């Protein structure tokens, strides 16, 4: 357990909880528009996203836009303590259920998506830095997942302004994202 990471995590999580919902909504709109203009996102046929929680950058409209654009959309399902399994969804109202920590995830009956198929992954993160390093919730799930991705797959982190730091504590198993989009 890294103490430096724990301190930063708590600091940013406090700021996320303290941010006014209207502010989060406005910033999420800006971030969504930037992502939809991203050339990597535009050309991706298979995208993996995640269902955001209330205080995070909202991914819900992004998921629905991606579906409307005809993309194949996968979301992670937690299968064991530190493993995520990408599963396809076609309807956010029908195909999701509340999973571990009340995060929405695809029902177990949803089709698995092969990792080799995924063109772009929008990765969840607590904070990022100028070198695209990522701080997660502290379980290392996405470090393992990103390591297994084909090198051609683009990875994008979404962050409110205060989630982008100069320098994050980094361990050898931490995998940076391709780029970070902020408001
Ligand atoms: P997070 O990325 O969620 O912020 P950490 O980077 O602190 O969390 O990692 C959490 C735990 O997961 C660490 O104890 C680390 O050893 C473990 N871990 C991360 N990546 C791997 C990996 N590729 N293989 C095995 N264990 C890993
Ligand atoms: Mg990590």
């Amino acid at each position: 357990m890294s103490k430096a990471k724990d301190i930063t995590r708590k600091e940013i999580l406090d700021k996320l909880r303290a941010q006014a919902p209207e502010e989060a909504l406005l910033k999420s709109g800006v971030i969504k528009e930037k992502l939809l203009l991203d050339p990597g996102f535009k050309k991706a046929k298979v995208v993996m996203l995640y269902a955001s929680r209330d205080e995070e950058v909202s991914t819900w409209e992004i998921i629905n836009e991606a579906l409307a654009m005809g993309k194949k959309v996968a979301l992670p399902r937690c299968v064991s303590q530190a493993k995520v399994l990408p599963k396809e969804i076609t309807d956010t109202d029908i195909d999701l259920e509340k999973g571990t920590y009340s995060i929405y995830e695809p029902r177990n009956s949803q089709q698995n998506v092969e990792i080799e198929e995924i063109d772009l992954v929008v990765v969840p993160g607590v904070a990022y830095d100028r070198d695209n390093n990522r701080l997660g919730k502290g379980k290392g799930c996405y470090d393992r997942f990103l390591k297994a991705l084909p090198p051609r797959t683009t990875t994008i982190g979404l962050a409110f302004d205060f989630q982008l730091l100069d320098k994050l504590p980094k361990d050898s198993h931490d995998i940076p994202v391709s780029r970070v989009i902020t408001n």
Side-chain angles (χ1 to χ4, degrees):
M1 265 286 141
S2 157
K3 206 160 193 180
K5 280 185 173 179
D6 283 346
I7 291 168
T8 307
R9 228 176 248 125
K10 190 178 178 316
E11 225 171 81
I12 303 297
L13 289 174
D14 284 345
K15 286 186 183 176
L16 278 170
R17 280 185 216 106
Q19 182 171 238
E22 312 82 70
E23 183 107 4
L25 197 70
L26 276 173
K27 291 179 182 175
S28 289
V30 174
I31 293 167
K32 179 193 78 180
E33 293 305 325
K34 286 189 187 174
L35 177 66
L36 295 182
L37 288 171
D38 183 279
F41 185 84
K42 280 203 220 172
K43 72 165 188 249
K45 291 192 170 68
V46 183
V47 296
M48 180 166 172
L49 288 137
Y50 61 93
S52 57
R53 310 188 62 163
D54 285 348
E55 69 274 17
E56 298 174 332
V57 174
S58 176
T59 58
W60 292 95
E61 286 187 21
I62 300 168
I63 294 169
N64 285 320
E65 291 267 4
L67 288 169
M69 290 161 94
K71 297 182 190 298
K72 181 166 176 174
V73 175
L75 261 61
R77 182 175 171 96
C78 294
V79 284
S80 61
Q81 217 195 4
K83 194 161 188 288
V84 293
L85 187 67
K87 281 181 168 287
E88 184 176 2
I89 65 150
T90 55
D91 189 322
T92 48
D93 289 331
I94 298 170
D95 301 341
L96 299 175
E97 65 182 16
K98 268 192 182 180
T100 333
Y101 316 110
S102 308
I103 296 169
Y104 281 96
E105 54 180 38
R107 297 179 193 283
N108 199 31
S109 53
Q110 296 300 116
Q111 280 275 341
N112 290 342
V113 175
E114 294 300 325
I115 196 161
E116 291 78 17
E117 257 190 277
I118 305 173
D119 300 311
L120 182 136
V121 182
V122 177
V123 180
V126 174
Y128 294 90
D129 74 11
R130 304 278 170 199
D131 298 317
N132 298 330
N133 291 310
R134 177 188 152 274
L135 183 70
K137 288 248 168 80
K139 300 215 181 295
C141 297
Y142 269 82
D143 285 326
R144 288 182 188 84
F145 182 74
L146 294 176
K147 197 176 158 192
L149 276 179
R152 66 163 190 94
T153 304
T154 303
T155 56
I156 295 182
L158 309 178
F160 293 126
D161 38 17
F162 57 83
Q163 290 177 287
L164 185 61
L165 309 177
D166 270 343
K167 205 163 176 56
L168 275 175
K170 191 191 181 189
D171 296 305
S172 54
H173 62 256
D174 286 321
I175 304 202
V177 291
S178 310
R179 48 188 175 274
V180 178
I181 297 178
T182 57
N183 54 279

